Amino acid sequence: MAISVDTVYKTVLLILNKEQRGYMTPDEFNKIGSQVQREIFEAYFEDLNQQLRIPQSDVEYSDRVAITDEKIAEFKVEGNATHTQDGIFTLPSDLYRLGSLTFEDTNKFPVEIQRVGRADFYNIRKSPLTAPTTTHPIYLYEDNKALVYPTSITSKIKTQYVKKPNDVRWGYYPGSLGQLIHDTTVFGANLLNNGGALSSYTGLSTTGVVGTYPAVTYTGGSGTGLVIDAVVNTTSTVTFTIATPGSGYVIGDQIIVDAGQLGVGSNAVTITLTAADFNSGSTYGTTNFELHNSERTELVLKMLLYQGVVIRDPQIVQVAASKVQQEEVNEKS
């Protein structure tokens, strides 16, 4: 279960403001948050290796190997390997640690593909007795690609792996008073801004009728599901707002609001979607921390530590570093 990026941000701001140590902007928070999440995530594997060498308690909820593996489990996924040429498969781009590859032949149980080194990869293929088959395939893993043998396998390969954590993002939009309002919509690079204004339009001239027009009728665009609300401010100006983002839209799409939709006698209006209308070109859209819920305390402490460095406050750095060290000692001792 993810940790709310909004909760962490507000907690960090509360502590910083209470101690009058300065403010953390959303951009600073997003960059520091992504760095801290990656640090905690990468430490899991060393922690697991360390705990495997230590006798464990068999009391429920106290086995540290199981606890650490549970944290890593948040990132364990399965994905498809993409066949590019004879024997070569490209693995998922978000792969961090490779677990295993399986070949799911038609009407048969999945077969785990044996991973071998480069020398074995060549030697195994030479002998008729050990030559790989579709029931006993092998692969060589290099440069995020798998060289699979026999080359008759061209599809149906699944990848079990630990994925990289996504960068965190506290999405927001400006309020009427200039305040920053958190956007709870899950970030999607190609997603239209939920509640955002569409400002690039032509054609209204002086035919609009001042008033509010929810869910105007329109045509065009390469996606589906978009709902647009409109408020005609003057006979020649209108505010278009995205009520429902839909999906599948791209930069440059033209959305034509039908004639008569902005009051009796109003002309048709053409809205052109720009980069600023999408999450990737704006501050809209949120990505939560993907870490295990138990990491919330360490997240906040490390965020404070880095912010102390940013604002050059040694007192924050010392206190936060001390707390982080204490947390780590308690977990591993």
Side-chain angles (χ1 to χ4, degrees):
M1 185 180 294
I3 301 174
S4 168
V5 69
D6 188 46
T7 299
V8 174
Y9 188 29
K10 288 177 179 177
T11 301
V12 172
L13 286 182
L14 174 66
I15 296 172
L16 287 174
N17 289 337
K18 180 182 177 182
E19 299 299 331
Q20 299 180 344
R21 301 296 183 181
Y23 182 71
M24 176 183 268
T25 67
D27 186 57
E28 288 174 345
F29 175 83
N30 292 341
K31 287 183 170 63
I32 293 174
S34 297
Q35 172 65 21
V36 169
Q37 176 171 244
R38 181 60 66 88
E39 283 185 14
I40 295 174
F41 167 74
E42 291 179 348
Y44 287 159
F45 303 94
E46 292 303 321
D47 291 345
L48 182 59
N49 184 49
Q50 180 184 33
Q51 295 301 332
L52 286 170
R53 292 175 286 170
I54 302 173
Q56 300 296 315
S57 168
D58 59 0
V59 178
E60 193 173 13
Y61 307 124
S62 297
D63 188 328
R64 290 180 175 175
V65 170
I67 291 172
T68 304
D69 187 64
E70 183 180 325
K71 294 176 180 179
I72 298 174
E74 302 277 343
F75 301 91
K76 292 180 180 179
V77 294
E78 182 179 71
N80 294 317
T82 304
H83 184 254
T84 55
Q85 55 183 306
D86 282 352
I88 299 178
F89 288 79
T90 299
L91 304 185
S93 60
D94 61 349
L95 184 148
Y96 179 76
R97 295 277 178 100
L98 179 60
S100 60
L101 295 183
T102 55
F103 172 50
E104 301 185 359
D105 202 357
T106 306
N107 300 322
K108 295 180 181 179
F109 289 109
V111 175
E112 182 173 356
I113 307 176
Q114 182 185 356
R115 181 173 178 174
V116 297
R118 180 166 287 278
D120 289 337
F121 183 74
Y122 291 123
N123 292 331
I124 289 174
R125 292 160 55 195
K126 291 178 181 178
S127 170
L129 294 177
T130 60
T133 64
T134 55
T135 54
H136 294 89
I138 63 173
Y139 77 97
L140 174 67
Y141 175 51
E142 292 180 350
D143 191 25
N144 204 45
K145 294 181 177 63
L147 180 55
V148 178
Y149 212 86
T151 56
S152 59
I153 298 176
T154 59
S155 63
K156 299 179 181 178
I157 287 185
K158 295 284 188 181
T159 310
Q160 294 77 37
Y161 64 101
V162 175
K163 75 179 188 69
K164 303 171 186 175
N166 294 317
D167 288 343
V168 301
R169 179 183 173 101
W170 188 79
Y172 67 93
Y173 55 91
S176 58
L177 301 176
Q179 76 276 33
L180 304 185
I181 301 175
H182 178 49
D183 178 24
T184 59
T185 306
V186 177
F187 174 80
N190 299 318
L191 180 69
L192 285 167
N193 300 330
N194 189 23
L198 299 169
S199 56
S200 180
Y201 66 89
T202 58
L204 184 61
S205 186
T206 58
T207 60
V209 178
V210 174
T212 301
Y213 303 89
V216 296
T217 301
Y218 66 88
T219 57
S222 56
T224 59
L226 172 64
V227 177
I228 301 173
D229 292 340
V231 177
V232 177
N233 304 302
T234 70
T235 56
S236 58
T237 61
V238 59
T239 300
F240 290 109
T241 304
I242 300 172
T244 304
S247 62
Y249 295 92
V250 297
I251 296 172
D253 271 354
Q254 291 193 325
I255 311 296
I256 302 173
V257 177
D258 297 345
Q261 286 295 298
L262 303 178
V264 177
S266 62
N267 293 334
V269 178
T270 300
I271 304 170
T272 302
L273 300 182
T274 67
D277 297 323
F278 294 83
N279 284 186
S280 58
S282 69
T283 61
Y284 284 76
T286 286
T287 302
N288 287 318
F289 289 96
E290 297 180 275
L291 298 171
H292 193 273
N293 267 326
S294 63
E295 303 291 5
R296 179 176 163 180
T297 299
E298 187 169 0
L299 258 178
V300 171
L301 290 173
K302 286 196 171 186
M303 293 289 293
L304 289 170
L305 189 154
Y306 274 105
Q307 184 61 7
V309 173
V310 170
I311 63 176
R312 300 180 182 179
D313 191 320
Q315 188 174 348
I316 290 181
V317 174
Q318 291 168 6
V319 173
S322 175
K323 291 289 186 181
V324 169
Q325 184 178 19
Q326 184 179 342
E327 280 282 320
E328 292 178 351
V329 169
N330 289 341
E331 286 183 1
K332 298 176 182 179
S333 60

